[in-house]
Amino acid sequence: MNDTMITNRTYDELPLGASASIVRTLTQDDILAFALVSGDVNPAHVDAEYANATRFHGTIAHGMWAGALISTLLGTHFPGPGTIYEAQMLRFHLPVRAGDTLTIQATVTARDDEHHRLTLDCTVTNQAGAVVVSGEAMVRAPLQKISRPRTAMPTMHLFDPAARLAEWVDGWATELLAGLAGQPPIACGVVHPCDEASLGGAMAAARRGLIVPWLIGPEARIRAVAAGLGLDLGGVHIEAVEHSHAAAARAAELAAAGTVEMLIKGSLHTDELMHAVIATPALRTKRRISHVFRFDVPAYPKPLLITDAAINIAPTLEEKADIISNAIDLARVLGVARPKVAILAAVETVSTKMGSTLDAAALCKMADRGQIAGGLLDGPLAFDNAISAEAARIKGIRSEVAGDADILMVPDLEAGNMLAKQLDYLAGAASCGIVLGVRVPIALTSRSEGAASRLASAALAARLALAWRTQHP
């Protein structure tokens, strides 16, 4: 088929036995889009927990999705524009699942010259050659040749931030349990979990098998919050201290001693926790402490790390090198062999009037000299060039990083914080965050973040803690 034009075949061009086919691979987004457009939210299609308990053992596509593909073939190619769809009969033989590749074929079996009507045998087969849908269509074929430019359709983005985070956490929980085979679980200090969000998030992580929580704070308040949530704290270790400052100090002591391998911030101010961490020499490393957000953005094809949007207000060149190195280490743990780092500025050219562009150029040269290792750096890059290959092409930027960045390094906290919140609140992104540059990863969540983000931050820290058992940066 011509991807730019839609051309029909007239009645006279369709003798008995003429046939055509198209191929389509089903995705989970296809199932969700069909459910949204049709209103058919049968749990067999959209509720994994329900579907797993049925005879299909998982979600399946709507039967009429395959029927719609027959309509696609008839309306756009065979016969194509000018076709009048008069009747369709379908038989459903096998379920269709996300990942299945379907071949949709129509064959002329009868012709009515008086009314220019065609009878078409329709079959839909999967990648194994099994027939999943069969049927018969009746159409009036066009008499005149029509060839039209294919209409450019808008891109549909189906994105549920909470669902995306939950999917990522579920996948990681499965990997974690496999990785822990024969090893002790990851002990986690939950610092001052004295509100519903922080205690509930930590216990949700525990139920998933991500952590073994050590609840550090005023015991009476922790138990009161648990009672309000209906949580059973039987068997959960509580490290009783009087107030939030004491909780932060005790958490740092436990982390320094190796009793806990990660920390989760509860209902205390970030500066309280970070002051205790910084004041504990055994937790410091040679690198600058920094924060990394992990984002799933609807319009971007892969996870995106953003640093530093939470801790370093106006980092120096040397501090930026540490911040990038911390982010590279995290990306490698997450499976990116050679992370691509875009160093952001307002423009993509070096200017003595803009310090961020000078730092970006220097950081790239530091990477060339081995002072920053493990990643591929480029900068300065404006935001559009960093995430859009088309924007980079238009501006004549030749770069392996431009349009395909794994990490965005922002020039200062103000720029990073605004970027992160814009992605969260305007772009529908899903995020979680972690503090690096210390001996234990710290899940640092804000008070406005929901349960899904808190759980994902705990999962991110647990993943790093497990990796650091064998190789600490």
Side-chain angles (χ1 to χ4, degrees):
M1 295 184 190
N2 188 324
D3 289 335
T4 62
M5 303 292 293
I6 295 180
T7 302
N8 69 357
R9 296 172 68 175
T10 65
Y11 180 81
D12 291 336
E13 294 175 319
L14 295 169
L16 290 173
S19 68
S21 64
I22 58 174
V23 177
R24 177 75 176 269
T25 298
L26 176 70
T27 68
Q28 189 63 34
D29 279 354
D30 290 328
I31 296 175
L32 295 178
F34 198 94
L36 286 169
V37 172
S38 67
D40 182 355
V41 292
N42 181 331
H45 310 305
V46 297
D47 184 339
E49 182 180 3
Y50 169 86
N52 286 336
T54 68
R55 67 189 182 95
F56 299 115
H57 303 293
T59 54
I60 59 173
H62 304 73
M64 288 309 297
W65 184 78
L69 293 181
I70 295 174
S71 178
T72 298
L73 175 61
L74 303 186
T76 63
H77 183 63
F78 188 82
T83 298
I84 299 174
Y85 213 157
E86 293 189 332
Q88 178 75 64
M89 184 276 293
L90 295 172
R91 296 186 182 89
F92 303 97
H93 304 284
L94 294 172
V96 176
R97 306 177 188 277
D100 284 352
T101 297
L102 305 183
T103 299
I104 302 90
Q105 183 167 357
T107 303
V108 178
T109 57
R111 289 166 49 90
D112 177 351
D113 292 339
E114 181 180 355
H115 300 98
H116 311 293
R117 181 179 290 126
L118 298 174
T119 301
L120 304 167
D121 178 69
C122 304
T123 60
V124 181
T125 56
N126 63 19
Q127 63 275 11
V131 176
V132 296
V133 177
S134 63
E136 186 176 83
M138 188 174 293
V139 302
R140 286 181 183 254
L143 299 179
Q144 295 180 339
K145 196 70 176 176
I146 299 172
S147 184
R148 298 284 301 171
R150 184 178 291 271
T151 301
M153 301 299 292
T155 300
M156 179 184 291
H157 295 294
L158 293 176
F159 196 80
D160 180 339
R164 178 66 65 86
L165 283 178
E167 179 183 356
W168 183 77
V169 170
D170 287 343
W172 166 232
T174 301
E175 292 180 28
L176 177 64
L177 293 176
L180 282 173
Q183 298 186 59
I186 296 171
C188 171
V190 187
V191 190
H192 203 256
C194 294
D195 65 0
E196 292 186 356
S198 57
L199 182 60
M203 296 308 293
R207 287 193 298 273
R208 297 290 187 92
L210 296 171
I211 62 170
V212 174
W214 281 51
L215 307 180
I216 308 167
E219 183 169 0
R221 289 184 62 186
I222 292 172
R223 292 195 180 279
V225 173
L229 291 172
L231 294 174
D232 180 9
L233 297 184
V236 177
H237 181 86
I238 299 178
E239 193 79 9
V241 296
E242 293 183 2
H243 44 67
S244 58
H245 277 64
R250 183 58 181 150
E253 291 173 2
L254 291 170
T259 306
V260 298
E261 296 178 82
M262 58 176 277
L263 298 176
I264 294 178
K265 173 183 170 289
S267 57
L268 75 170
H269 291 290
T270 297
D271 57 357
E272 285 185 272
L273 176 57
M274 295 312 301
H275 177 78
V277 170
I278 292 169
T280 306
L283 289 180
R284 300 302 303 273
T285 70
K286 64 179 181 179
R287 286 189 189 161
R288 181 80 176 178
I289 295 174
S290 62
H291 181 273
V292 179
F293 276 115
R294 178 194 181 276
F295 277 97
D296 277 307
V297 185
Y300 201 67
K302 58 183 178 180
L304 193 59
L305 301 184
I306 295 178
T307 190
D308 179 348
I311 291 181
N312 291 281
I313 297 174
T316 64
L317 176 64
E318 291 78 9
E319 290 166 351
K320 287 180 178 180
D322 280 350
I323 291 168
I324 290 173
S325 294
N326 287 339
I328 288 173
D329 287 342
L330 175 61
R332 289 169 64 87
V333 168
L334 296 178
V336 184
R338 194 185 184 204
K340 298 178 180 179
V341 183
I343 307 170
L344 298 186
V347 296
E348 61 277 355
T349 54
V350 177
S351 170
T352 58
K353 297 179 181 179
M354 300 182 69
S356 60
T357 67
L358 297 174
D359 281 355
L363 289 164
C364 291
K365 182 53 66 177
M366 291 172 73
D368 290 343
R369 295 291 184 265
Q371 292 170 268
I372 302 172
L376 180 64
L377 279 61
D378 196 5
L381 289 172
F383 180 79
D384 56 344
N385 306 321
I387 57 91
S388 169
E390 179 63 12
R393 184 192 65 78
I394 291 172
K395 292 190 176 182
I397 299 172
R398 296 180 180 179
S399 166
E400 292 183 61
V401 175
D404 193 35
D406 300 295
I407 299 168
L408 300 181
M409 166 69 189
V410 297
D412 56 37
L413 185 144
E414 288 182 303
N417 189 272
M418 286 186 281
L419 173 58
K421 288 181 177 177
Q422 286 166 354
L423 291 176
D424 265 330
Y425 289 96
L426 292 179
S431 68
C432 55
I434 190 171
V435 172
L436 304 170
V438 291
R439 290 294 175 188
V440 297
I442 304 172
L444 196 66
T445 56
S446 77
R447 287 165 289 176
S448 63
E449 289 179 345
S453 182
R454 290 174 181 271
L455 180 60
S457 293
L460 188 61
R463 185 166 189 169
L464 200 57
L466 179 62
W468 283 0
R469 283 183 174 180
T470 56
Q471 186 174 0
H472 202 291

